[in-house]
Amino acid sequence: MSATVVTITNQKGGVGKTTTAAALLASLSNRGARVLGVDLDPQGSLGFSLGLDIEHCKTVYDVFRGEVSTEEAISTTDTCDILASNILLSAAEIEFNKPGREFLLKTALSKVKDRYDFIIIDTPPALNILTVNAYVATDSLIIPMSPEVLSLLGVSQIKETIESVRNYYNSGLTVLGILLNRFSPRLRLNREVMELAEQIASQLGTVVFQSKIRSSVSAAEAPAHGLSVIDYAPRSNPAADFESLCSEIAGDKFPIDTDSKEV
Ligand SMILES: Nc1ncnc2c1ncn2[C@@H]1O[C@H](COP(=O)(O)OP(=O)(O)OP(=O)(O)O)[C@@H](O)[C@H]1O
Ligand SMILES: [Mg+2]
């Protein structure tokens, strides 16, 4: 069985892509799934936030350059396996200019896909060759949004990118849903936020996930401890919300292991 590949994407910065990628990896891993996290962001946040020394480990950049195999570049953390990234990857747009450059990641992952149940890809806040590599290599997309920056502006760009990738490289690409992050159920704006999110979802031919992620300082603190919020603060609101998201996405194959969780 080959891994299901899910990409977390939004060209806007700071909406919770890395937080979501780390939480899904941790939740899936705790449920017994074999998972690989792939960081395609030159900021290197996914590897860093799961405790890796990203300046001194092998990265996806080394793989793209053909200097190491995918297997050799995979690091191990307490949470899961990670194909890390660092600032060197920012040269990608210029450096990888040969025909077929859109398939670098797909090719790299094909060598390890049968070892995992899920591969979760974190992407930069951009729509560039790195994002396209993720869209080509993935089965589906999750688009996190936060109410502060929620707007219809920018939806057409991501829609165009998705459609181009579908037309030229990956006809099966689907959008699993829009994920509302930093959601405050008490906010009076709540209904407006939901309506806007529904509008965006319908433009992208998808839905808004039932699960919404509430804010908590523990989500902001977790990366400095090298852990996802799921493992850093398992009783926090965002941890519960991400567990619910994970069940929405993968609960049929990997139901939550209630026996091992403290109540
Ligand atoms: N639900 C939440 N509650 C509190 N803080 C959060 C929550 N989600 C994310 N954050 C914090 O907001 C900041 C941005 O989140 P994150 O890094 O996941 O966004 P991103 O989309 O990956 O950003 P970038 O576009 O720069 O890669 C981080 O400091 C993170 O810890
Ligand atoms: Mg990020």
Side-chain angles (χ1 to χ4, degrees):
M1 267 301 280
S2 186
T4 300
V5 188
V6 179
T7 293
I8 319 298
T9 182
N10 189 330
Q11 72 270 35
K12 288 196 180 131
V15 295
K17 293 181 287 296
T18 305
T19 304
T20 302
L24 286 178
L25 287 164
S27 178
L28 286 164
S29 176
N30 292 344
R31 293 167 191 228
R34 299 165 302 161
V35 285
L36 171 68
V38 177
D39 194 356
L40 271 195
D41 184 355
Q43 294 178 99
S45 313
L46 183 65
F48 172 81
S49 67
L50 294 176
L52 277 182
D53 177 2
I54 57 165
E55 301 309 324
H56 297 104
C57 66
K58 296 273 184 280
T59 68
V60 66
Y61 176 71
D62 302 314
V63 179
F64 286 178
R65 293 185 63 153
E67 286 171 357
V68 299
S69 69
T70 311
E71 291 92 328
E72 285 167 327
I74 291 174
S75 306
T76 311
T77 71
D78 289 344
T79 306
C80 62
D81 284 359
I82 294 280
L83 183 51
S85 161
N86 62 30
I87 192 68
L88 295 174
L89 189 62
S90 58
E93 194 85 45
I94 300 164
E95 186 171 340
F96 304 115
N97 55 11
K98 299 206 186 100
R101 67 207 286 253
E102 296 84 3
F103 294 91
L104 288 165
L105 183 66
K106 188 181 168 99
T107 308
L109 293 183
S110 68
K111 319 226 155 78
V112 296
K113 248 182 130 172
D114 55 357
R115 299 187 191 175
Y116 298 100
D117 298 305
F118 276 91
I119 299 178
I120 309 284
I121 306 174
D122 187 23
T123 57
L127 292 170
N128 58 19
I129 187 63
L130 293 168
T131 330
V132 169
N133 261 274
Y135 288 18
V136 171
T138 203
D139 296 306
S140 59
L141 306 174
I142 290 176
I143 307 177
M145 295 191 164
S146 60
E148 310 89 82
V149 297
L150 196 68
S151 86
L152 284 162
L153 289 173
V155 174
S156 57
Q157 285 121 284
I158 194 165
K159 192 175 171 199
E160 268 172 38
T161 308
I162 293 167
E163 281 168 3
S164 305
V165 170
R166 269 192 198 131
N167 287 337
Y168 295 111
Y169 309 115
N170 181 6
S171 59
L173 178 64
T174 59
V175 185
L176 281 183
I178 306 279
L179 176 65
L180 283 174
N181 183 25
R182 292 211 196 79
F183 191 72
S184 167
R186 277 172 308 206
L187 215 68
R188 241 188 300 141
L189 284 172
N190 183 6
R191 202 173 341 130
E192 279 170 48
V193 166
M194 272 308 298
E195 270 171 23
L196 198 48
E198 300 281 2
Q199 256 180 304
I200 293 171
S202 83
Q203 288 208 8
L204 295 173
T206 189
V207 295
V208 180
F209 283 110
Q210 290 288 318
S211 316
K212 318 224 172 2
I213 314 300
R214 288 165 287 177
S215 288
S216 159
V217 66
S218 48
E221 285 169 359
H225 296 266
L227 289 172
S228 149
V229 66
I230 295 266
D231 291 326
Y232 173 69
R235 291 189 183 84
S236 65
N237 287 336
D241 299 339
F242 278 123
E243 285 293 1
S244 146
L245 175 71
C246 190
S247 294
E248 228 178 291
I249 294 164
D252 52 340
K253 275 198 208 144
F254 295 99
I256 192 161
D257 182 359
T258 39
D259 293 344
S260 71
K261 281 265 162 193
E262 300 165 60
V263 194

